[in-house]
Amino acid sequence: MKAFCLVLLALCTTQAAQAQSAASSPRNRSSLATVEPGTFAVEGMTPKPIVLKVQLEAPVYPTSKLQGALGSFAPGTLVTLLAMSDTAYRVRGRARHGDVAGWVRMNEVISAVPDLNANLKKLYERTKLVDELIQHKQVALGMTSQEVQASLGKPSRKSSKITAAGKEERLEYAIYDQVPQTSTGVNAFGQIVQTVVYIRVEVGTLGLSFKDNVVSEIEETKGNPLGGGGARTVPPPVVGF
């Protein structure tokens, strides 16, 4: 019984750690999931939820094909944007028959965010690029300080200065790689054997300068951490949400 309790405690601890790790993630990657073919999720991509106002009696449908209405939203109803296609929004709100999440036509709702559709598409494309960089522990011009640290972790050194142009920040990273080393020894039968072990070795140093919290310059101060391709560039952050 004691062993069972210890195993159960370890399992609960692991699950709690995983949940905490997911909660502390800089971005919930499920926000990039495809809800249906030709659509993409919006919820989780912006700092705060996007609220739309229903301006016409708006039937709400189960899919983006807009067939088989589940009910309707009354004019003046506020709904939260969840996803979008080229012609419709997936929203959540209080319909006439109760709480519902479904698709409505774009022209039946309005937003206080200027150029909402165009900016959401820009944000989606940029988010995909940045998430790919973070996944591969890479950086690019145009990333924010938070995105760089989500990719490379805590910097080896951090500094800042204030000029007439404003505040400038600099982060420096020691870049490491796993380098194989072969060691020779004798096993229990007196035979000579070779073992390959990998050790962590510093292979370069990377310096990143920020202007208005966006990477404006990347410098290889030691080695070649960027590889032969040089620095990549992503669009600047999309503002207005």
Side-chain angles (χ1 to χ4, degrees):
M1 177 62 72
K2 183 177 180 181
F4 173 77
C5 292
L6 289 174
V7 171
L8 182 61
L9 177 60
L11 178 60
C12 292
T13 302
T14 301
Q15 291 175 336
Q18 291 173 342
Q20 182 178 3
S21 174
S24 61
S25 173
R27 179 183 293 110
N28 181 1
R29 285 187 171 80
S30 65
S31 66
L32 294 180
T34 299
V35 182
E36 299 175 24
T39 73
F40 64 88
V42 172
E43 189 176 32
M45 283 203 305
T46 57
K48 56 184 179 180
I50 297 175
V51 177
L52 306 175
K53 184 177 181 179
V54 178
Q55 62 176 347
L56 303 170
E57 185 74 21
V60 54
Y61 301 91
T63 72
S64 61
K65 294 181 179 179
L66 304 179
Q67 297 175 349
L70 302 171
S72 66
F73 292 108
T77 303
L78 299 180
V79 294
T80 301
L81 180 59
L82 305 178
M84 66 178 289
S85 69
D86 288 337
T87 59
Y89 292 128
R90 187 170 190 267
V91 300
R92 179 175 57 236
R94 184 75 176 178
R96 291 189 181 276
H97 67 286
D99 293 333
V100 67
W103 294 85
V104 298
R105 291 181 174 86
M106 286 183 175
N107 63 354
E108 294 171 341
V109 295
I110 55 176
S111 169
V113 179
D115 301 320
L116 177 63
N117 291 357
N119 284 332
L120 281 176
K121 290 178 181 179
K122 291 178 183 178
L123 177 61
Y124 176 71
E125 293 301 326
R126 183 183 185 278
T127 301
K128 284 198 302 182
L129 292 174
V130 171
D131 274 7
E132 180 184 355
L133 290 166
I134 292 175
Q135 184 179 358
H136 292 90
K137 299 187 182 301
Q138 298 174 348
V139 293
L141 298 167
M143 292 177 70
T144 67
S145 176
Q146 293 79 8
E147 291 165 347
V148 167
Q149 293 184 61
S151 181
L152 300 183
K154 186 177 179 180
S156 307
R157 183 181 177 187
K158 182 177 181 179
S159 61
S160 62
K161 65 179 180 179
I162 298 179
T163 68
K167 184 177 180 180
E168 296 181 3
E169 182 183 30
R170 182 175 174 84
L171 303 181
E172 294 184 6
Y173 285 90
I175 307 300
Y176 295 88
D177 196 2
Q178 299 293 328
V179 177
Q181 285 195 347
T182 302
S183 62
T184 303
V186 179
N187 63 15
F189 302 99
Q191 299 170 324
I192 297 176
V193 294
Q194 290 185 329
T195 305
V196 177
V197 295
Y198 289 83
I199 61 173
R200 191 166 178 257
V201 176
E202 182 178 334
V203 294
T205 306
L206 202 61
L208 299 100
S209 299
F210 295 81
K211 186 175 182 180
D212 297 329
N213 196 43
V214 173
V215 178
S216 58
E217 180 180 299
I218 301 177
E219 180 184 6
E220 295 173 313
T221 56
K222 177 183 176 183
N224 186 24
L226 294 175
R232 295 177 60 182
T233 301
V234 297
V238 181
V239 298
F241 296 103

